[in-house]
């Protein structure tokens, strides 16, 4: 997830202070990716260092306002125009956990799969509920939230199918290992 580009996107519509960026980022992404305000200010510092944002005064409450620069707009445009790279996928903790569990004779891999399946089903229900709530006001922010929730639902559904496939593969593989 690109916090850097998310903040640039928010700043493209006007100046903001850090906590405001955090709130708007979380609202736009249906609060599915909590963002620490310290993370926002650290990222703003890097964006400022890289010439992509500048401090542009303070508001009435004394909070520092940030604005996107022309270089920041160019960076943001490049981000929008470039596909998300799949050549180096992020580490997947669940895949790593199962890969390690399969090789550990003391681990009940089926129990690990079942617990994950329950968790995935819960997440799917939660995302569906959030999607129902987000669908009510037809605003740009509402549509943004729906897009994020639709993606999370699709990922959870894919994970459930993958878990079923893992169980089928393990059942067949363990049976073959046990045969002399």
């Amino acid at each position: 997830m690109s916090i850097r580009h998310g903040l640039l996107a928010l700043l493209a519509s006007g100046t903001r202070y850090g906590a405001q960026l955090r709130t708007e980022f979380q609202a736009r992404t249906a609060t599915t990716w909590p963002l620490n305000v310290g993370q926002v200010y650290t990222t703003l510092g890097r964006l400022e260092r890289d010439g992509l944002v500048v401090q542009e005064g303070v508001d009435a409450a004394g909070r520092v306002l940030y604005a996107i620069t022309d270089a920041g707009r160019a960076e943001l445009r490049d981000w929008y125009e470039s596909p998300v790279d799949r050549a180096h996928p992020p580490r997947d903790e669940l895949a790593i956990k199962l890969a390690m569990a399969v090789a550990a004779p003391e681990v009940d891999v089926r129990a690990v799969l079942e617990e994950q399946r329950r968790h995935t089903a819960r997440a799917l229900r939660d995302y569906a509920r959030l999607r129902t709530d987000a669908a009510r006001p037809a605003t740009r922010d509402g549509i943004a939230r729906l897009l994020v929730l639709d993606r999370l639902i699709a990922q959870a559904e894919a994970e459930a199918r993958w878990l079923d496939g893992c169980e089928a593969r393990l059942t067949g593989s363990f049976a073959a290992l046990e045969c002399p």
Side-chain angles (χ1 to χ4, degrees):
M1 167 184 48
S2 178
I3 295 167
R4 171 185 179 96
H5 292 104
L7 297 182
L8 286 173
L10 293 169
L11 288 169
S13 62
T15 60
R16 307 244 186 331
Y17 55 89
Q20 186 178 23
L21 287 165
R22 174 185 177 260
T23 299
E24 290 183 29
F25 181 93
Q26 290 185 164
R28 190 111 12 123
T29 59
T31 65
T32 54
W33 295 295
L35 191 57
N36 181 301
V37 75
Q39 197 174 7
V40 171
Y41 282 106
T42 298
T43 304
L44 285 169
R46 289 185 186 128
L47 290 169
E48 189 174 16
R49 176 201 65 203
D50 296 343
L52 304 177
V53 302
V54 293
Q55 291 185 21
E56 195 167 275
V58 295
D59 68 4
R63 295 174 291 223
V64 176
L65 296 170
Y66 292 86
I68 192 168
T69 64
D70 289 341
R73 287 184 192 285
E75 168 91 9
L76 183 59
R77 189 173 39 257
D78 289 346
W79 182 61
Y80 281 137
E81 293 172 357
S82 301
V84 174
D85 183 16
R86 298 287 181 222
H88 305 288
R91 286 185 185 93
D92 183 324
E93 184 176 352
L94 179 55
I96 294 167
K97 179 190 278 190
L98 288 177
M100 297 302 150
V102 166
E106 71 279 2
V107 176
D108 181 352
V109 181
R110 285 184 182 86
V112 173
L113 285 168
E114 279 307 310
E115 183 59 32
Q116 188 63 41
R117 189 176 279 117
R118 281 190 292 278
H119 176 76
T120 301
R122 248 187 333 270
L124 194 51
R125 284 190 304 274
D126 290 345
Y127 295 150
R129 182 184 44 76
L130 287 170
R131 182 174 60 184
T132 299
D133 293 345
R136 298 214 171 88
T139 64
R140 286 185 178 271
D141 282 350
I143 293 167
R145 283 189 292 275
L146 286 173
L147 292 174
V148 170
L149 289 166
D150 287 345
R151 173 71 168 168
L152 292 171
I153 288 168
Q155 288 173 328
E157 290 170 341
E159 182 173 290
R161 287 189 306 276
W162 179 72
L163 290 167
D164 291 342
C166 288
E167 186 171 32
R169 180 177 302 277
L170 291 170
T171 300
S173 297
F174 285 157
L177 290 172
E178 293 169 1
C179 292

